[in-house]
Amino acid sequence: MKFQVYLITVFSILASCTKIDTTRLGGELIPVVDNINTFDTILEVQSFNYIPEDSTRMFLTEPHPAGGIAVDPLFGASKATLFFEMKPAIFPFSFAPADSIVGFDSAVLVLNFRGYYGDSAAPVNYKLYEVDRKMQYDTSVRPNYTLTPNLAANTGKFWGEKTMAPNRYRDTVAIKRGDSVYAKVTNQLRIPLNYQLASKLFFQAADTTAGAFKSDSLFREYLPGFALTADQAAASLQYFGLRDATSQVTFYYRTKIVGKIDTTSKGFGFTATSAHAVKFERNRAGAEINNFLNADPQAGASQIYVQTAPYTKVSVKIPGLKTLTNRIIHRAELRVVELTPNIGPQSQLTAPPILYLDVEEKDNNFKGVPFDLTPLTNYFCFPNNQIEFFYFGGPTRTEQINGEKLNVYRFNIARHVQGIITRKEQVCNFRL
């Protein structure tokens, strides 16, 4: 990607102006009357790529990723392992009266599919293990885990596996009880659970004195949670909703009531006190981004790389803002342009649908772009109402540039620049 900042300015003909670009972006915006003219200026932009320490935390209501991108020549490989608890919402818990249960049949873990990033046709082989230790659930202050939790899969407790490509989630799956179909579902990752482990857990409910289903603490001692891992060759990150009603562990079993044997099912899902975490690993060895991390402090990097958490940081400097003469800003726009069309083997790694720009203050503090992020309200990073993207910019759009269709992001920073000129507000770097 590359940067340009366009300033379309309106001011008295007595002022001075240097026109850098031959493109008259301000042409015909205001007619040349009363000694008022519209000029355009392009300011030099310096940009720098960083890989900062990441402290991102996921909320339990967010879609959680599992899988990976094994081949990414720009950013390097990515891998996501999902840790989570599935447990009853209320204890003690039972599947049915102990004297009515005839036998256990099977169990399945269901995770509701929310979306993907990567190759939609490439299958990902998922393996489900037990987590290697008890986890902490979210408090009222914040979620407990960053994207580097001190958790791992206990490979000695293998619960099951399933291979799934993103484009297969729309296929209808028939769910049976016995020989009859009682439901048809889509958008579900369904992992059949190890019969031995699942049956032992199921029959823990029959022990009403010290069984796993007697209390939450006993259950967490018996089953601290699951770890969903993907093979090293994965080509997509698949996202799941843990709090979705269909995400749960379902047990299928037989009961005998009034002399009649019936196949039934019951399960439990993700509760308000269920722990969750994602270990998101980046391996940037050999990636192109490494060639642009240590840029000349005076010139900046010739290319920028924007990646979500665990993220890359792009610092943007516009030295010319400090020396702008007095003028009225009609529009000041920061434009970010994709360098090359997204084609070839990695074409499924699509450009982000939206980028975000904020102001970098001292001591690694950030805030929304003053007066432009939400021009009718306060301008902090998280305003009470939604960010006015239609005004501020950020969503991608495709433009024809030098005969190629490229993704372009535009940010309106006109009011912020006007404040620097007329009110002598501080000139800060930006962060993309």
Side-chain angles (χ1 to χ4, degrees), residues 70-348:
V71 180
D72 183 348
L74 299 183
F75 291 97
S78 301
K79 181 182 179 181
T81 302
L82 176 57
F83 303 94
F84 58 97
E85 281 186 296
M86 292 288 185
K87 61 184 181 182
I90 300 175
F91 292 92
F93 173 87
S94 65
F95 292 99
D99 56 0
S100 69
I101 294 176
V102 175
F104 168 79
D105 292 328
S106 62
V108 61
L109 170 70
V110 181
L111 293 176
N112 190 49
F113 176 71
R114 290 280 200 91
Y116 75 97
Y117 181 78
D119 191 339
S120 65
V124 176
N125 180 245
Y126 287 108
K127 286 184 169 62
L128 185 69
Y129 297 98
E130 203 164 290
V131 68
D132 67 342
R133 68 199 66 190
K134 288 190 292 185
M135 296 187 287
Q136 296 178 327
Y137 60 86
D138 291 356
T139 67
S140 59
V141 179
R142 67 180 184 182
N144 281 286
Y145 294 106
T146 66
L147 297 179
T148 56
N150 184 27
L151 300 169
N154 178 0
T155 55
K157 291 288 186 71
F158 176 65
W159 280 82
E161 66 181 317
K162 184 66 175 287
T163 300
M164 197 71 171
N167 62 6
R168 296 298 305 274
Y169 283 101
R170 60 176 176 260
D171 297 344
T172 301
V173 177
I175 310 301
K176 292 184 176 181
R177 281 181 180 165
D179 295 327
S180 61
V181 175
Y182 80 95
K184 294 182 178 180
V185 299
T186 58
N187 293 320
Q188 290 185 359
L189 176 66
R190 301 181 64 88
I191 302 178
L193 297 185
N194 177 290
Y195 182 87
Q196 182 180 7
L197 293 176
S199 62
K200 288 179 63 176
L201 177 61
F202 175 82
F203 286 111
Q204 282 287 313
D207 184 351
T208 59
T209 58
F213 292 97
K214 179 67 175 177
S215 68
D216 180 80
S217 59
L218 289 173
F219 188 87
R220 296 179 72 235
E221 287 288 345
Y222 188 90
L223 179 61
F226 295 107
L228 184 64
T229 69
D231 59 44
Q232 295 295 326
S236 68
L237 292 165
Q238 300 176 18
Y239 292 81
F240 305 98
L242 296 179
R243 287 302 305 268
D244 295 351
T246 53
S247 294
Q248 61 176 333
V249 177
T250 304
F251 294 81
Y252 297 88
Y253 52 97
R254 285 161 285 125
T255 60
K256 186 175 183 180
I257 302 176
V258 194
K260 180 182 178 181
I261 296 178
D262 184 32
T263 298
T264 187
S265 63
K266 189 174 181 179
F268 43 82
F270 191 88
T271 73
T273 60
S274 291
H276 66 107
V278 172
K279 179 179 286 186
F280 208 110
E281 301 168 276
R282 304 281 199 196
N283 183 358
R284 295 188 173 93
E288 186 177 289
I289 184 177
N290 295 319
N291 300 325
F292 298 89
L293 290 177
N294 299 310
D296 183 338
Q298 300 302 319
S302 59
Q303 298 178 192
I304 65 166
Y305 295 76
V306 186
Q307 188 176 35
T308 192
Y311 67 109
T312 63
K313 168 190 166 185
V314 176
S315 182
V316 181
K317 298 180 181 180
I318 310 175
L321 291 179
K322 295 181 180 180
T323 57
L324 283 176
T325 56
N326 190 35
R327 64 192 71 191
I328 298 173
I329 301 296
H330 175 74
R331 183 174 179 87
E333 182 179 88
L334 177 69
R335 190 178 74 166
V336 184
V337 183
E338 187 179 28
L339 280 175
T340 58
N342 190 23
I343 57 178
Q346 275 71 50
S347 60
Q348 72 274 10

Side-chain angles (χ1 to χ4, degrees), residues 352-363:
I354 191 168
L355 295 181
Y356 179 69
L357 183 76
D358 57 14
V359 173
E360 182 176 357
E361 296 185 312
K362 293 182 178 179
D363 302 323

